[in-house]
Amino acid sequence: MAKGGNRGGSASKKAPVSTSTEDDSYIVFGNTSVARKPKTVEQKSPAAGHGLNNVQPSGEDAPKKPDTRKLIGGASWTGKLPVNILSEHCQKQKWAKPEYTMIKTSEGFSSMVILKSVNPKTKETMVLPPFKLPPSYKEITVRPTAVEARHFAATYALFRVCSMRNIHMMLPPTYRDLWKNEFKDLKAEDIKDGKGWMYEADPFTAEIEREEAQAMLRKRRDEREIQKAKEAEQSVSLGLSNVNSTGVTNRNVTKGWVNVPKIEMGKRVRTHIEELVRSNAVWNPHGSRISDFQQRNIIIEFTELGFRRSHVEEAVLECKDREETLEWLLIHVPEDDLPKWSLPEGYTAGISIGSGNLKREASVQRLAAAGYSTDLCEKLLDVNDGHEGLAAQALQKNLVDIVDRVPAEPRVDISALSMTEIAEGDSIWAEEQETLTAIFEDRFEATSPDLFHVQLHVPGSKLSFKLNIRKSISYPQTAPVVSLTSPGLPAYMKLSIIRQTVNMANTEYLGGPMIFNLVDWLENEIPKIIENPGSLRTVSAGVVGPSEKDPTAYAQRHLRFQRKPAQAISHYAGDHASVVMLDRWRSKQQTSRQRKMLEGRKSLPAWALRDAVVEAINSHQVTIISGETGSGKSTQAVQFILDDMIQRKCGSAANIICTQPRRISTLSLADRVSDERCSRVGDEVGYAIRGESAQQPGITKITFVTTGVLLRRLQTSGGTTDDVVAALADVSHVVVDEVHERSLDVDFLLVLLKTVLAKRKDFKVILMSATLDARIFEQYFHQASTVAKVEIQGRTFSVDDHYLDDVIRLTGFDAGSRYSNADGGDRDDADMNNTEPSLARTIQAIGMRINYDLIASTVRAIDAQLGSQDGAILIFLPGVLEINRALDALQSIPKILGLPLHASLLPTEQRRVFPPAPQGKRKVIAATNVAETSITIEDIVAVIDLGKVKETTFDPQNNMVKLEEVWASRAACKQRRGRAGRVKAGQCYKLYTRNAEAKMAERSEPEIRRVPLEQISLSIRAMGIKDVRAFLASAITPPNDLAVDGAIDLLGRVGALDGDDLTALGRHLSMIPADLRCSKLMVYGATFGCLEACLTIAAILTVKSPFVSPQAKRDESKVARSSFAENQGDLLCDLRAFEEWSSMRTLVSYRDIKSWCDQNFLSSNVLQDIASNRSQYLSSLKEVGFIPTTYPSASNAVYNAHNSNPALIRALIAGTFNPQLARIDYPDKKFAPSMSGAVELDPEARTIKFFNQENGRVFLHPSSTLFDAQNFVGKAAFMSYFHKMATSKIFIRELTPFNVYSLLLFSGPITLDTLGRGLVVDGWLRLRGWARIGVLVSRLRMMLDEVLAKKIEDPSLDLGKDEVVGAVRRLVEFDGLDR
């Protein structure tokens, strides 16, 4: 990076006027790497043509200059050109005007862009290096003309700073294709090679940060060198101690690690897990490759940490990243060759502690001296009943046979040998010993008849080598058992020498005396073997047992369920099926019932535009239909399409899918349209909602579906564009209704449909809405396809508006005596302007929220006004709770039939709102915004609008998606108002002021901009699309880049992604329609045998705690709640309360249950809601195949075998809430004297401190059951929480304590501290302990993901007895100790 003034001389010389629309003044010509100042025509040197071969000829000989716009964009291009767009972008960013270099070669011209920025304070100019493509892209870099080269360079520069935006949509076709293909591929390569910084939106900041990072790296490297030299001088151990041999502290390496929790692992547990890891671990399952640049850095770093360079070089070729490379080394490098920092405190190679059997210990030490693992020596010695010779033979067989991935038998079988064979072998062995004694003299030593030693003479080596030779059972038909003693020679080299010696014997010398030949061969070959010992993995595998699984098997596993490709539709007109359909259709038109239905259809405004709708759809790929409420667009457009295709004898090709945002509108439209066509639902007209469908392939021509159902079909198709296209191969039209709502699902669907449109020109997309902003959608689809617009006028009668002040005057409502029944809240002072004092006081008393008495008063006034006239009243409320409270308030009004309407009701309950009220009753419907569009209730004459809606929002306090009550948009309120004018002139009572309406947004913000993107990012990755950022950037309203990056980062932290690859856990989470954390908890519950408990806790998280705490009885309620807690945490307390309530439901009366709830301060309504949500989650798990459809039954008992294991449930909760974790910091221990000695005292609750990553110290909320706790169950060192709130302090709520193994197994990634102090989890939580424990747990976590992958392949798989699941469960339950 250069700093300084502008390049190239004075800028005051006037440039010639250009005939093109481009600015040519900043082209810099040259055929060297040095940029030169542009020269005007008048300034050209006479030598220019001679010295610069890239200057174009001038005058009469020069070719005619082509038109730039036509050359770059084509004959029909009217948009901007790349140079203009780049110039405008630089101007907006307040950068200097871009400069262009130009080089001419024999192949053409190439250009590069140089960007500059002037610091407004220091006036210093920063000049970036030219944006240059790699040499491998030379083919596309060189252009025929200088102008084209310049625009190419501008396009690449734009891509470098705007690749995350949709600027390519503005580019000419050639450059748009470069952006989407070659440039996109180049970016993927660069990101993979660690060069993502090249594509930052602000390249100047990125360059500064990169220089600072490089400087920091150099500084750290220098510091490491200095420290290394200091430590070598002082002979300081890098273990857990920071004290040198003189007892003086040389540096504070343990700062911040003294009081952190210590992690331990029992010997039997460790041995069992090591066996699991060695036999099941998969390294680099996806076959990723570390870039050459990163490989070099890792080799340098790890060599400096004390690993052998050859080991590191082998590891980087096997592993996917730095962390896995370090883990690979700690598993495969023999312990005597590991750096000191990686070994446990007090470790001494070859020492086995304390069995009490000295003979056995001596045998183990002799066997291990050859380089074998002590644990493996112990195991094979025990298997062979303590026979050292047989154990040695088994070790050698294991070492040699494992090379061919054929595990050796641990026990040597001697039963098959005859006495004659044994005698012959003994004779040959004895004769050979006599010969060797004569040859080697004092170099030969026999310690027993079956064992002798030969001192080797290895020329040029300073090490001593002693060959130990033991007679094998069937010698000389098999090789002898050999080992090598050489102090200072690493174990893996000894084993490599042994393996190659045995292979030589097996290949060349079997059947006769061979020892002399082997000694001679070894003395010549040992230096060569030491120089090139071979693969560490091969030798290490032989030491520790059977090799790891072949990673290719994992990489080739197809984890997704792929839908069978649909059969493409045929557009051949006049086929037999189409002719039959036409005959039936014509016959049906003659029936009296069909004619009557047709008359009703003709009365709708949409019918008048039938021909226009059909023509638009047939002539364009995309049609936008906007129509007022009641126009009939939702019911008629699909029928227009089908009837037209039938009449054109193309009926067999018709397959129309119409998406709806909600189940109720899906079902009601299917009913309505099937009635209008005089058919049954499921025949010609069908539907599909989650868990229920009525359709017949080939027969059903119009299918109403929820948006999620169609998305699921596309998601399970595969990951490529062709897969998505194939999934809709049998679909002729997709109608997206209520597209204005701009839900996350709708925006996701539009991106996929746009992809299909580009591939299938016969495919039609119809977008419909009552409040559509057609311009946005037209611009979005315009580049990919042709777009038509049709607008249908509504058929509503006039509607009179009444605002809050009008309603108060009408009803005479006085809020003074009813204020207790309002939700309260202060109203904006602007609402009181120009309002009479008494009315102003009433409005102020009502507040900003919902007053249910006012609703009841309004209903009573409307009913009185209508008198004996028919007509229903529709009340718009934000949610289910508000609907229930409103209906309760209406019970005192006689002759009122109150009905709820919301998405959670069963279809049969939802349909109750459509028929007229019984004689003498007036129907009052309390509904959410489901009644705004799609469904039509014919007899509504009055609407009461609260102006509120519950929108999905992101709560940063608890990192949770939730529904929040907000003001509706003006467009939504207009829709609500229109519902009152369907049958006659109506009235709309707006229980908000004119000022409040003026402050409402015109339209709701698209959901993609206001919710976290973890779920959609996971869905995109589940389709196989790796570049989530690019996919979302192509949405109609792209989300913020930071939101996408945050979502991907969180998916990695929760274990759904491993780098760019989707884990098996992530695939399960993508299939379950629930909040990410609730889904994860349920998956874990089914896997570890505590499904019922996890289902309940997930439902509690979705609803809320069932406990209530009245202000007057707060202490009593806390005592009642604590009786369920058992110090296990808040969520287990709520779980136990629900379980007790659930068990009582079938045993005692409702009255007794209500009394019990009151005594224990439990809300029966909330408990009912929890039970309802729990049932929905259970259905979801069955639908995706994670649990059997027969659940619960006796055969499914394994799913709840550990339901009463609180330690396991707490661990799963902690894993679910990650990264919402806090570290528990206990005070120093205190002791009190007693008769039996000093007794440790429990610390006072106020002295226990809690710290999280974001805020530092946090505090337990007083409402928690753990607020006064002096200790926590199960040696808990950490606390998970669900809510975080800031008042006078930062409080955490919904607490669950858990131990260190719960953290290791279910939280964020594990990294190893290379100073030997321990492990770091999720980048901030420290644990003291042996690095190898971290590696074993990390591998165990990967094996658990492999188990979940098998569950995807085989949903019926029983995980209850799985060895990996059992090991994880025991680690959590016993905190890693032997039991």
Side-chain angles (χ1 to χ4, degrees):
M1 180 181 68
K3 293 182 180 180
N6 289 331
R7 300 156 69 102
S10 173
S12 62
K13 296 181 181 179
K14 188 174 180 180
V17 178
S18 175
T19 57
S20 72
T21 58
E22 314 306 322
D23 177 12
D24 297 320
S25 63
Y26 276 76
I27 299 182
V28 182
F29 285 89
N31 56 1
T32 68
S33 59
V34 180
R36 304 189 184 185
K37 177 65 185 176
K39 299 181 188 228
T40 64
V41 175
E42 293 83 347
Q43 293 172 319
K44 283 184 180 178
S45 168
H50 172 73
L52 295 175
N53 60 7
N54 57 340
V55 178
Q56 298 295 316
S58 60
E60 295 180 0
D61 296 331
K64 185 178 179 181
K65 185 176 181 181
D67 178 75
T68 302
R69 184 172 300 280
K70 186 179 296 185
L71 179 66
I72 301 303
S76 62
W77 182 254
T78 59
K80 295 180 181 179
L81 299 181
V83 167
N84 303 101
I85 300 173
L86 177 61
S87 182
E88 289 175 5
H89 181 77
C90 292
Q91 188 175 1
K92 288 178 183 177
Q93 301 299 321
K94 298 184 179 178
W95 301 339
K97 189 178 291 186
E99 288 187 3
Y100 295 84
T101 68
M102 189 68 67
I103 300 174
K104 183 180 180 184
T105 66
S106 59
E107 298 167 342
F109 294 84
S110 64
S111 177
M112 293 178 288
V113 171
I114 300 171
L115 294 184
K116 297 179 180 181
S117 177
V118 179
N119 188 312
K121 294 183 179 178
T122 64
K123 304 302 180 183
E124 190 176 34
T125 300
M126 177 186 290
V127 183
L128 295 179
F131 287 161
K132 182 179 180 181
L133 276 81
S136 58
Y137 284 78
K138 181 180 177 182
E139 210 173 286
I140 64 168
T141 305
V142 178
R143 317 304 285 183
T145 66
V147 173
E148 289 173 282
R150 185 177 180 223
H151 284 279
F152 175 89
T155 305
Y156 179 60
L158 277 168
F159 184 81
R160 286 281 295 268
V161 297
C162 299
S163 61
M164 67 296 297
R165 294 172 55 191
N166 285 332
I167 285 182
H168 66 282
M169 305 297 291
M170 303 164 57
L171 294 171
T174 301
Y175 300 91
R176 188 189 315 142
D177 292 342
L178 281 169
W179 185 295
K180 292 162 60 179
N181 298 310
E182 285 86 351
F183 290 173
K184 185 178 178 183
D185 294 341
L186 175 59
K187 179 181 178 181
E189 292 173 15
D190 287 336
I191 290 175
K192 190 175 181 180
D193 291 341
K195 300 177 184 175
W197 53 268
M198 293 171 59
Y199 299 91
E200 293 291 336
D202 186 347
F204 298 97
T205 302
E207 183 73 13
I208 292 171
E209 291 176 350
R210 183 165 168 264
E211 286 194 348
E212 290 174 349
Q214 289 176 339
M216 183 63 69
L217 188 63
R218 289 192 295 269
K219 181 180 178 182
R220 288 177 179 173
R221 187 182 297 119
D222 294 342
E223 288 175 350
R224 280 201 304 267
E225 289 295 334
I226 294 170
Q227 189 60 44
K228 190 175 180 181
K230 187 185 297 184
E231 288 170 356
E233 182 182 345
Q234 297 177 343
S235 301
V236 178
S237 170
L238 284 178
L240 289 174
S241 173
N242 65 336
V243 180
N244 64 16
S245 56
T246 63
V248 179
T249 302
N250 62 80
R251 68 183 182 112
N252 194 12
V253 297
T254 59
K255 184 178 180 180
W257 289 82
V258 176
N259 295 321
V260 303
K262 189 172 183 180
I263 183 168
E264 298 175 312
M265 185 179 282
K267 184 174 182 181
R268 288 199 305 274
V269 172
R270 181 165 69 89
T271 301
H272 175 61
I273 293 175
E274 284 177 346
E275 289 175 355
L276 277 178
V277 169
R278 288 163 185 163
S279 59
N280 294 286
V282 178
W283 300 88
N284 194 6
H286 302 287
S288 303
R289 182 183 177 276
I290 304 175
S291 69
D292 294 340
F293 175 77
Q294 290 172 316
Q295 282 187 21
R296 288 193 295 272
N297 286 345
I298 292 172
I299 290 169
I300 293 170
E301 179 187 359
F302 287 178
T303 303
E304 291 176 351
L305 288 174
F307 290 101
R308 291 184 183 272
R309 185 181 183 88
S310 60
H311 296 173
V312 185
E313 288 173 346
E314 181 181 349
V316 294
L317 297 176
E318 298 261 0
C319 301
K320 65 177 181 178
D321 56 24
R322 177 189 178 278
E323 292 304 321
E324 188 172 80
T325 301
L326 185 55
E327 292 181 0
W328 192 96
L329 289 167
L330 291 172
I331 287 289
H332 288 87
V333 175
E335 291 179 0
D336 66 340
D337 207 26
L338 284 171
K340 289 183 179 180
W341 62 264
S342 67
L343 299 170
E345 190 174 7
Y347 173 85
T348 305
I351 299 298
S352 180
I353 304 221
S355 68
N357 186 337
L358 297 180
K359 179 181 178 181
R360 179 179 180 276
E361 292 299 327
S363 295
V364 169
Q365 287 189 34
R366 284 193 294 271
L367 292 170
Y372 296 107
S373 157
T374 301
D375 291 339
L376 189 62
C377 293
E378 290 177 346
K379 177 183 177 181
L380 293 184
L381 187 65
D382 293 340
V383 167
N384 288 280
D385 302 324
H387 193 298
E388 186 177 334
L390 297 181
Q393 190 164 339
L395 285 166
Q396 180 171 290
K397 186 171 177 57
N398 186 75
L399 173 65
V400 176
D401 290 353
I402 204 68
V403 176
D404 298 320
R405 296 188 180 274
V406 180
E409 292 293 329
R411 184 180 179 91
V412 177
D413 185 10
I414 62 174
S415 61
L417 298 175
S418 68
M419 295 303 295
T420 304
E421 290 174 324
I422 293 174
E424 288 178 357
D426 288 344
S427 175
I428 294 173
W429 179 262
E431 291 177 7
E432 195 167 7
Q433 282 201 66
E434 292 178 7
T435 304
L436 293 172
T437 303
I439 295 172
F440 295 120
E441 297 179 344
D442 58 344
R443 291 168 56 194
F444 180 90
E445 178 188 3
T447 54
S448 73
D450 291 337
L451 176 65
F452 60 82
H453 315 280
V454 178
Q455 193 71 39
L456 302 180
H457 284 167
V458 180
S461 176
K462 296 180 180 180
L463 298 174
S464 65
F465 298 90
K466 183 168 72 173
L467 180 65
N468 311 301
I469 305 172
R470 187 187 300 272
K471 179 180 176 294
S472 60
I473 297 299
S474 55
Y475 183 83
Q477 304 308 316
T478 60
V481 180
V482 299
S483 64
L484 193 71
T485 302
S486 179
L489 188 67
Y492 84 101
M493 289 188 179
K494 296 179 189 176
L495 294 174
S496 183
I497 293 170
I498 293 171
R499 182 173 60 82
Q500 295 191 44
T501 303
V502 175
N503 286 337
M504 174 59 66
N506 289 336
T507 305
E508 302 290 339
Y509 304 125
L510 292 183
M514 64 183 80
I515 306 302
F516 176 80
N517 291 329
L518 291 177
V519 171
D520 182 60
W521 182 85
L522 275 170
E523 289 180 335
N524 287 291
E525 295 296 323
I526 280 179
K528 299 176 185 177
I529 298 174
I530 291 175
E531 184 178 347
N532 183 18
S535 167
L536 180 62
R537 172 190 277 275
T538 303
V539 177
S540 177
V543 179
V544 298
S547 179
E548 296 93 349
K549 288 183 177 179
D550 185 355
T552 57
Y554 185 99
Q556 292 169 359
R557 172 174 286 129
H558 297 288
L559 294 181
R560 64 176 66 90
F561 295 116
Q562 292 194 5
R563 180 182 296 274
K564 183 179 178 181
Q567 186 173 355
I569 58 178
S570 171
H571 290 278
Y572 176 70
D575 62 287
H576 178 70
S578 297
V579 172
V580 172
M581 284 185 66
L582 177 58
D583 292 341
R584 290 176 179 171
W585 181 82
R586 284 173 174 168
S587 299
K588 187 185 286 187
Q589 302 308 306
Q590 305 306 316
T591 63
S592 58
R593 184 183 174 198
Q594 185 67 71
R595 286 200 299 268
K596 182 179 179 182
M597 285 293 181
L598 192 59
E599 289 302 317
R601 291 177 60 192
K602 288 180 178 179
S603 66
L604 293 169
W607 185 268
L609 291 173
R610 178 185 57 171
D611 294 337
V613 170
V614 170
E615 173 63 23
I617 292 171
N618 289 340
S619 304
H620 302 79
Q621 276 193 282
V622 179
T623 304
I624 302 172
I625 301 176
S626 56
E628 294 291 336
T629 301
S631 64
K633 63 185 182 306
S634 297
T635 58
Q636 302 309 304
V638 289
Q639 296 190 72
F640 294 162
I641 297 169
L642 179 57
D643 289 343
D644 173 67
M645 293 187 73
I646 291 174
Q647 292 176 75
R648 290 190 290 114
K649 298 183 181 179
C650 298
S652 62
N655 186 7
I656 305 161
I657 294 178
C658 181
T659 70
Q660 295 294 323
R662 300 172 190 87
R663 290 193 308 165
I664 183 173
S665 54
T666 304
L667 297 172
S668 64
L669 283 170
D671 288 341
R672 175 73 177 267
V673 175
S674 60
D675 284 345
E676 290 185 356
R677 300 188 72 80
C678 299
S679 66
R680 294 182 308 168
V681 174
D683 290 341
E684 190 180 38
V685 180
Y687 68 86
I689 60 177
R690 195 178 76 198
E692 182 183 345
S693 68
Q695 55 184 327
Q696 300 178 61
I699 297 175
T700 303
K701 296 298 178 180
I702 300 173
T703 309
F704 291 94
V705 302
T706 51
T707 312
V709 167
L710 181 55
L711 274 178
R712 182 69 60 194
R713 174 174 177 170
L714 298 178
Q715 284 177 249
T716 55
S717 64
T720 66
T721 301
D722 290 339
D723 290 330
V724 176
V725 173
L728 294 176
D730 62 339
V731 177
S732 59
H733 300 71
V734 170
V735 182
V736 185
D737 203 0
E738 310 305 340
V739 73
H740 73 280
E741 293 192 9
R742 298 294 306 281
S743 68
L744 208 56
D745 281 353
V746 165
D747 280 8
F748 188 7
L749 178 60
L750 292 181
V751 177
L752 298 175
L753 292 179
K754 188 176 180 182
T755 301
V756 179
L757 285 167
K759 293 280 186 177
R760 272 187 60 191
K761 297 305 177 184
D762 64 322
F763 184 65
K764 308 290 186 181
V765 171
I766 299 93
L767 309 178
M768 298 197 303
S769 176
T771 60
L772 186 69
D773 185 357
R775 180 181 52 82
I776 296 175
F777 296 94
E778 184 180 8
Q779 290 176 350
Y780 182 64
F781 284 102
H782 178 70
Q783 295 290 340
S785 51
T786 55
V787 181
K789 292 186 291 185
V790 178
E791 187 171 348
I792 304 173
Q793 297 300 318
R795 191 188 60 175
T796 55
F797 293 88
S798 63
V799 176
D800 295 330
D801 292 326
H802 308 275
Y803 289 89
L804 181 59
D805 53 340
D806 304 319
V807 173
I808 293 173
R809 293 188 187 95
L810 173 68
T811 59
F813 182 76
D814 181 7
S817 60
R818 300 174 175 84
Y819 187 77
S820 61
N821 196 28
D823 284 349
D826 295 329
R827 193 169 284 276
D828 194 332
D829 289 341
D831 293 336
M832 310 307 138
N833 294 340
N834 303 317
T835 306
E836 49 265 43
S838 60
L839 188 58
R841 284 194 297 272
T842 302
I843 293 175
Q844 186 69 35
I846 291 171
M848 292 294 288
R849 296 187 181 175
I850 300 170
N851 188 297
Y852 297 95
D853 285 330
L854 177 59
I855 294 173
S857 297
T858 308
V859 169
R860 189 179 288 108
I862 297 170
D863 182 53
Q865 278 187 345
L866 291 173
S868 60
Q869 299 177 52
D870 292 333
I873 302 170
L874 176 60
I875 309 173
F876 281 100
L877 292 148
V880 176
L881 180 63
E882 292 79 9
I883 287 174
N884 293 335
R885 292 186 66 179
L887 292 176
D888 288 343
L890 298 179
Q891 289 180 354
S892 60
I893 306 175
K895 299 180 181 181
I896 291 296
L897 174 63
L899 296 172
L901 177 59
H902 51 81
S904 301
L905 292 174
L906 294 174
T908 53
E909 296 174 313
Q910 291 175 340
R911 291 189 178 107
R912 293 174 58 203
V913 302
F914 296 108
Q919 189 68 31
K921 292 277 190 178
R922 186 173 306 283
K923 183 170 61 175
V924 178
I925 302 166
T928 59
N929 59 346
V930 300
E932 279 181 20
T933 53
S934 293
I935 67 164
T936 299
I937 305 170
E938 295 290 351
D939 54 349
I940 300 296
V941 296
V943 165
I944 300 175
D945 182 14
L946 278 297
K948 298 293 182 67
V949 67
K950 284 193 175 177
E951 282 188 346
T952 306
T953 57
F954 177 57
D955 184 353
Q957 295 295 330
N958 61 13
N959 202 29
M960 182 74 172
V961 178
K962 69 174 185 177
L963 287 175
E964 188 174 49
E965 184 180 302
V966 297
W967 285 111
S969 66
R970 287 199 293 273
C973 291
K974 181 182 178 183
Q975 285 297 303
R976 297 177 179 186
R977 174 183 182 274
R979 293 295 169 181
R982 292 303 307 275
V983 293
K984 65 177 184 179
Q987 307 293 321
C988 181
Y989 299 88
K990 301 180 177 183
L991 302 191
Y992 47 86
T993 62
R994 292 172 177 81
N995 182 58
E997 185 178 60
K999 291 182 178 179
M1000 291 178 181
E1002 181 61 33
R1003 298 180 190 278
S1004 297
E1005 180 80 1
E1007 200 173 34
I1008 200 170
R1009 285 289 187 90
R1010 54 182 167 85
V1011 299
L1013 303 173
E1014 290 84 27
Q1015 200 69 51
I1016 190 173
S1017 299
L1018 189 59
S1019 298
I1020 294 167
R1021 278 302 293 111
M1023 291 180 66
I1025 300 170
K1026 287 201 170 186
D1027 196 344
V1028 177
R1029 297 175 185 85
F1031 183 90
L1032 289 175
S1034 65
I1036 188 168
T1037 305
N1040 186 284
D1041 291 335
L1042 293 177
V1044 180
D1045 292 339
I1048 294 173
D1049 178 65
L1050 183 60
L1051 290 176
R1053 295 180 76 174
V1054 301
L1057 290 181
D1058 179 12
D1060 286 335
D1061 298 304
L1062 191 70
T1063 63
L1065 173 62
R1067 189 161 296 283
H1068 282 299
L1069 298 183
S1070 72
M1071 293 189 294
I1072 300 173
D1075 179 83
L1076 205 60
R1077 288 174 294 177
C1078 293
S1079 299
K1080 186 177 179 182
L1081 184 61
M1082 291 185 288
V1083 168
Y1084 278 159
T1087 302
F1088 288 95
C1090 46
L1091 175 58
E1092 290 291 318
C1094 290
L1095 276 171
T1096 302
I1097 293 172
I1100 291 169
L1101 295 175
T1102 306
V1103 184
K1104 62 179 180 178
S1105 171
F1107 287 94
V1108 294
S1109 180
Q1111 185 72 30
K1113 298 183 178 181
R1114 182 163 291 179
D1115 292 338
E1116 296 174 50
S1117 65
K1118 191 168 184 178
V1119 171
R1121 189 181 187 192
S1122 298
S1123 65
F1124 294 94
E1126 301 176 352
N1127 209 30
Q1128 296 284 346
D1130 299 330
L1131 288 173
L1132 266 74
C1133 168
D1134 295 346
L1135 168 66
R1136 300 307 174 211
F1138 178 86
E1139 289 175 338
E1140 191 166 338
W1141 172 81
S1142 185
S1143 63
M1144 293 174 62
R1145 293 170 71 186
T1146 56
L1147 301 175
V1148 300
S1149 66
Y1150 173 80
R1151 184 175 180 179
D1152 290 339
I1153 292 177
K1154 188 74 169 64
S1155 175
W1156 178 82
C1157 288
D1158 292 341
Q1159 291 172 9
N1160 289 283
F1161 294 88
L1162 288 162
S1163 167
S1164 56
N1165 287 338
V1166 173
L1167 288 166
Q1168 290 282 3
D1169 287 344
I1170 292 170
S1172 174
N1173 275 271
R1174 195 176 173 282
S1175 298
Q1176 290 181 21
Y1177 283 150
L1178 186 60
S1179 298
S1180 297
L1181 290 178
K1182 290 180 181 180
E1183 287 170 23
V1184 300
F1186 199 77
I1187 60 174
T1189 55
T1190 57
Y1191 181 91
S1193 64
S1195 61
N1196 306 139
V1198 66
Y1199 287 100
N1200 293 293
H1202 301 279
N1203 231 25
S1204 58
N1205 186 339
L1208 178 61
I1209 297 172
R1210 286 188 281 107
L1212 301 185
I1213 292 172
T1216 297
F1217 287 1
N1218 179 60
Q1220 291 167 225
L1221 311 175
R1223 172 173 57 85
I1224 304 175
D1225 189 8
Y1226 293 97
D1228 293 336
K1229 294 180 180 179
K1230 294 183 179 180
F1231 299 87
S1234 69
M1235 296 294 292
S1236 57
V1239 177
E1240 184 179 346
L1241 299 175
D1242 287 333
E1244 295 181 32
R1246 62 183 179 83
T1247 64
I1248 303 174
K1249 298 178 181 179
F1250 304 87
F1251 299 87
N1252 73 356
Q1253 186 178 14
E1254 299 84 11
N1255 309 99
R1257 188 175 180 185
V1258 293
F1259 297 84
L1260 305 191
H1261 196 272
S1263 66
S1264 171
T1265 59
L1266 299 175
F1267 180 72
D1268 296 320
Q1270 295 177 274
N1271 55 61
F1272 303 105
V1273 67
K1275 298 182 180 178
F1278 303 95
M1279 190 77 73
S1280 69
Y1281 60 89
F1282 192 62
H1283 284 92
K1284 182 176 66 176
M1285 57 186 297
T1287 53
S1288 57
K1289 300 175 181 176
I1290 297 177
F1291 292 102
I1292 53 177
R1293 304 178 62 171
E1294 286 79 47
L1295 309 173
T1296 304
F1298 61 97
N1299 60 26
V1300 291
Y1301 273 97
S1302 302
L1303 177 80
L1304 278 173
L1305 287 161
F1306 297 109
S1307 294
I1310 301 170
T1311 54
L1312 309 177
D1313 176 68
T1314 52
L1315 291 179
R1317 296 169 295 190
L1319 317 171
V1320 180
V1321 181
D1322 208 17
W1324 73 285
L1325 292 166
R1326 296 174 176 176
L1327 299 173
R1328 277 195 304 129
W1330 189 12
R1332 194 182 188 90
I1333 294 177
V1335 177
L1336 292 174
V1337 174
S1338 181
R1339 292 292 103 191
L1340 195 62
R1341 284 166 59 162
M1342 191 167 183
M1343 290 157 59
L1344 178 61
D1345 197 66
E1346 171 77 354
V1347 171
L1348 293 174
K1350 293 176 183 175
K1351 179 73 173 176
I1352 291 178
E1353 291 181 331
D1354 181 10
S1356 64
L1357 184 66
D1358 179 4
L1359 300 182
K1361 297 180 181 178
D1362 185 87
E1363 208 170 4
V1364 173
V1365 172
V1368 171
R1369 188 166 51 236
R1370 287 189 293 275
L1371 277 175
V1372 167
E1373 188 172 358
F1374 302 122
D1375 205 22
L1377 301 179
D1378 295 330
R1379 291 292 173 94

